[in-house]
Amino acid sequence: MNNRLEELRSRKGWTQQELADRVEVSRQTIISLERGRYNPSITLAFRLARQFGVTIEELFLYSPEEDEDE
Amino acid sequence: MSKNLRWMKKQQRLGWTALAAGLIFAGCGLILARVADLAFNPRIITGLGILFLGLGVAYLVRYGAAQKDPKSVGRMVIEEKDERMQMIRARAGNRAYWTSTVIVYGGLMWVSFAANGSLPALSADGLWYFLAAAVILPFAVYAASLIYEQQK
């Protein structure tokens, strides 16, 4: 799933580790999320969205075609 | 007691428990090898003891590292509960489970065919190697899956 994590994180001036500490996951998870290799749980998606003050839909860009590819 | 302190205490407790269990098993294995004439090889018990000793040392090393650098404890706790890591462990566990099932089912089939003479019966050595593979291969699949999933 595509997302705007890297863009919003850079805008805040946070490192991957800082964001990881804020939402209580490992840095590797943030890396995987930013590369679109990992889809977060709904609770992590909420935690991330709240950190940036946006909605989940603004942060994660869902496209039904991806479901068909999987 | 804070979450991090509880985690540290748990590492310490698990470490000493595993170390004690390791010493008891390894000691029993070594003593039995010298004094008793057993139907099985007591090296299995010694091996189990060595495994527990290794686990105990690993837990205590983590506890020691956490004590030296209290700031890192939070990250260790987070990494242990990290949802992606839990998913990776679950996937690896699933693959190990299916590996184990296939091996045991294969063994069961072999024994069934051997019973009616279609296949040669397993010798004592053959059975030992088969059972060793049934223990080691799922572990290997688990470890390989962890590495593969983490690099993905």
Side-chain angles (χ1 to χ4, degrees), chain A residues 52-67:
Chain A
F52 297 115
V54 295
T55 61
I56 288 180
E57 288 88 347
E58 285 172 303
L59 183 56
F60 293 97
L61 314 166
Y62 173 71
S63 64
E65 292 81 28
E66 281 179 44
D67 277 350

Side-chain angles (χ1 to χ4, degrees), chain B residues 85-99:
Chain B
M85 208 46 225
Q86 284 182 347
M87 184 202 71
I88 287 172
R89 283 194 209 110
R91 279 189 187 169
N94 188 266
R95 287 185 188 129
Y97 165 76
W98 282 110
T99 306

Side-chain angles (χ1 to χ4, degrees), chain A residues 17 21 26 29 32 38 41, chain B residues 75 78 82-84 152:
Chain A
Q17 186 63 63
D21 290 342
S26 66
T29 297
S32 294
Y38 173 65
S41 67
Chain B
R75 280 190 190 146
I78 285 171
D82 181 56
E83 65 170 46
R84 180 176 155 275
K152 245 173 45 172

Side-chain angles (χ1 to χ4, degrees), chain A residues 8-9 12 25 27 32 44 50 59 64:
Chain A
L8 293 173
R9 180 178 60 76
K12 291 267 187 187
V25 294
R27 191 173 78 91
S32 294
L44 178 56
R50 282 189 184 176
L59 183 56

Side-chain angles (χ1 to χ4, degrees), chain B residues 60-142:
Chain B
L60 290 175
V61 165
R62 279 183 101 181
Y63 172 70
Q67 258 193 331
K68 270 186 190 169
D69 182 12
K71 283 181 188 169
S72 69
V73 181
R75 280 190 190 146
M76 284 187 199
V77 174
I78 285 171
E79 277 175 20
E80 205 171 81
K81 292 182 177 168
D82 181 56
E83 65 170 46
R84 180 176 155 275
M85 208 46 225
Q86 284 182 347
M87 184 202 71
I88 287 172
R89 283 194 209 110
R91 279 189 187 169
N94 188 266
R95 287 185 188 129
Y97 165 76
W98 282 110
T99 306
S100 170
T101 302
V102 166
I103 293 169
V104 172
Y105 187 74
L108 193 64
M109 284 290 104
W110 188 289
V111 171
S112 301
F113 281 107
N116 64 23
S118 305
L119 283 172
L122 280 175
S123 64
D125 275 352
L127 184 64
W128 191 92
Y129 283 114
F130 171 77
L131 291 176
V135 172
I136 292 164
L137 279 179
F139 265 121
V141 167
Y142 184 80

Side-chain angles (χ1 to χ4, degrees), chain A residues 4-62:
Chain A
R4 295 171 55 218
L5 209 57
E6 192 172 0
E7 175 202 331
L8 293 173
R9 180 178 60 76
S10 302
R11 229 185 264 174
K12 291 267 187 187
W14 295 336
T15 62
Q16 289 172 331
Q17 186 63 63
E18 279 170 334
L19 178 59
D21 290 342
R22 281 170 181 271
V23 293
E24 297 193 336
V25 294
S26 66
R27 191 173 78 91
Q28 198 55 47
T29 297
I30 299 296
I31 293 169
S32 294
L33 283 165
E34 286 188 354
R35 288 180 184 168
R37 289 179 183 170
Y38 173 65
N39 293 331
S41 67
I42 192 74
T43 49
L44 178 56
F46 270 113
R47 288 209 303 271
L48 286 163
R50 282 189 184 176
Q51 284 297 322
F52 297 115
V54 295
T55 61
I56 288 180
E57 288 88 347
E58 285 172 303
L59 183 56
F60 293 97
L61 314 166
Y62 173 71

